[in-house]
């Protein structure tokens, strides 16, 4: 959902982006759900519809697209693979210059309502920390900020390493933690972290490196890259809570 919504926002300059979830079928303890992301963006040419889920085939290469968007061309391919592994279906309907509708169906198990969490336990999970959250995707910033807010943190955001260096430098004493995405346009997280460590050699907030590729592709320890700790995407409450407990 994060990927589909991000893409819809990226290619919609005016109008709206609409997200829907609908129950298609329900049987005993299982339910089939349909997810749709509709936008009023620039749409997809007919000849590109067949390859939109292929690796590295970015639809933005069309002459009708603004060639200003940065990406690997892997997002939709990965989304398709995830849905296939969940034995679901994914597809797209689109008209050029009129918008697109990406959809997927999955079957999910119906579980019982979770038990109420004790209020005293909730109080213990609150962290009064100021966090500088750095990520180039708006959806990631929004979701992670909400989770950090629920854990009692206040959050300042930046969309690239250059902006992060500027925001931290303006008021370094305010921040208790920096969560830095490793791969970003303009300035990546490793470079930004190096600059911050050189600029504030004696006292700087801990910096947690954030990436979806840490486990497989980064063979160095966080300390070797200048970070105090690694966090992996997608972030969740338990991971953030454990990270905050390290402070």
């Amino acid at each position: 959902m994060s990927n589909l919504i991000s893409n819809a926002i990226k290619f919609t300059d005016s109008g709206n982006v609409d997200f829907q979830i609908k129950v298609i079928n329900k049987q005993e303890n299982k339910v089939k759900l349909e997810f749709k992301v509709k936008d009023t963006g620039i749409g997809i040419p007919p000849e590109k519809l067949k390859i939109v889920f292929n690796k590295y085939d970015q639809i933005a290469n069309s002459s009708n697209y603004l060639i200003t968007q940065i990406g690997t061309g892997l997002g939709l391919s990965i989304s398709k693979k995830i849905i296939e592994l969940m034995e679901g279906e994914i597809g797209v309907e689109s008209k050029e210059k009129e918008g697109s509708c990406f959809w997927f169906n999955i079957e999910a198990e119906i579980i019982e309502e979770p038990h109420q969490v004790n209020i005293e336990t909730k109080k213990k999970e609150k962290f009064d920390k100021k966090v500088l959250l750095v990520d180039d995707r708006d959806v990631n910033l929004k979701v992670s900020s909400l989770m950090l807010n629920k854990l009692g943190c206040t959050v300042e955001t930046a969309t690239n390493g250059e902006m992060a260096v500027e925001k931290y430098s303006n008021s370094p004493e305010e921040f208790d933690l920096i969560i830095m995405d490793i791969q970003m346009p303009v300035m990546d997280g490793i470079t930004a972290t190096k600059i911050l460590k050189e600029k504030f050699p004696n006292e700087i907030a801990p910096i947690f490196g954030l990436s979806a590729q840490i486990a497989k592709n980064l063979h160095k320890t966080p300390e070797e890259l200048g970070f105090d700790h690694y966090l992996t995407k997608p972030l969740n409450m338990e991971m953030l809570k454990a990270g905050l407990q390290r402070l």
Side-chain angles (χ1 to χ4, degrees):
M1 285 312 310
S2 173
N3 182 53
L4 295 183
I5 292 172
S6 291
N7 285 346
I9 293 169
K10 185 189 293 184
F11 293 111
T12 304
D13 289 329
S14 62
N16 59 72
V17 172
D18 184 42
F19 166 43
Q20 303 172 1
I21 308 176
K22 184 171 71 175
V23 175
I24 299 176
N25 188 26
K26 185 177 179 181
Q27 292 181 342
E28 296 181 1
N29 67 331
K30 289 194 174 181
V31 62
K32 190 171 186 179
L33 301 172
E34 179 183 68
F35 296 74
K36 283 186 176 180
V37 178
K38 297 181 180 179
D39 65 63
T40 56
I42 52 184
I44 303 169
E47 69 274 11
K48 292 282 185 177
L49 282 172
K50 293 180 181 179
I51 63 167
V52 74
F53 292 104
N54 292 358
K55 287 183 181 179
Y56 310 116
D57 282 320
Q58 287 187 283
I59 56 173
N61 291 334
S62 166
S63 60
N64 294 319
Y65 280 69
L66 297 172
I67 313 300
T68 58
Q69 306 299 343
I70 296 172
T72 60
L74 282 170
L76 288 175
S77 173
I78 292 170
S79 296
K80 184 173 186 288
K81 185 65 177 175
I82 290 170
I83 297 302
E84 288 174 347
L85 288 169
M86 297 177 73
E87 299 181 347
E89 299 175 287
I90 188 168
V92 59
E93 299 160 9
S94 183
K95 287 187 178 180
E96 197 168 9
K97 298 181 181 178
E98 292 185 21
S100 302
C101 175
F102 282 85
W103 58 268
F104 64 86
N105 300 332
I106 57 168
E107 193 173 77
E109 185 180 350
I110 299 171
I111 60 172
E112 295 179 5
E113 285 291 322
H115 295 295
Q116 289 291 328
V117 179
N118 187 284
I119 292 173
E120 290 302 316
T121 305
K122 281 189 172 181
K123 285 180 181 177
K124 292 176 184 176
E125 294 172 353
K126 296 292 184 183
F127 302 87
D128 183 19
K129 303 292 181 185
K130 177 75 176 283
V131 180
L132 177 57
L133 178 64
V134 192
D135 198 305
D136 61 310
R137 304 195 76 170
D138 290 338
V139 171
N140 293 347
L141 286 175
K142 183 69 174 175
V143 174
S144 299
S145 293
L146 287 170
M147 289 191 287
L148 286 164
N149 290 155
K150 284 187 177 181
L151 290 168
C153 298
T154 55
V155 183
E156 185 91 16
T157 62
T159 54
N160 59 64
E162 193 175 88
M163 189 183 294
V165 170
E166 182 182 346
K167 285 199 173 187
Y168 187 85
S169 299
N170 287 339
S171 50
E173 69 286 345
E174 283 190 19
F175 296 101
D176 302 297
L177 173 66
I178 303 169
I179 298 178
M180 182 84 73
D181 190 14
I182 291 175
Q183 294 176 306
M184 294 181 290
V186 184
M187 182 186 289
D188 63 82
I190 295 172
T191 303
T193 297
K194 184 180 179 182
I195 291 171
L196 285 170
K197 292 280 177 94
E198 289 174 352
K199 197 169 184 180
F200 302 94
N202 300 320
E203 191 172 345
I204 187 171
I207 305 177
F208 291 179
L210 174 63
S211 175
Q213 302 182 29
I214 287 169
K216 289 184 69 174
N217 297 342
L218 291 184
H219 304 296
K220 294 184 177 180
T221 65
E223 290 77 16
E224 286 177 295
L225 293 178
F227 300 111
D228 298 283
H229 182 55
Y230 280 151
L231 295 175
T232 56
K233 292 182 179 180
L235 281 173
N236 58 49
M237 292 286 281
E238 290 304 314
M239 194 188 306
L240 284 171
K241 192 190 304 178
L244 290 166
Q245 285 169 346
R246 292 177 67 92
L247 303 181

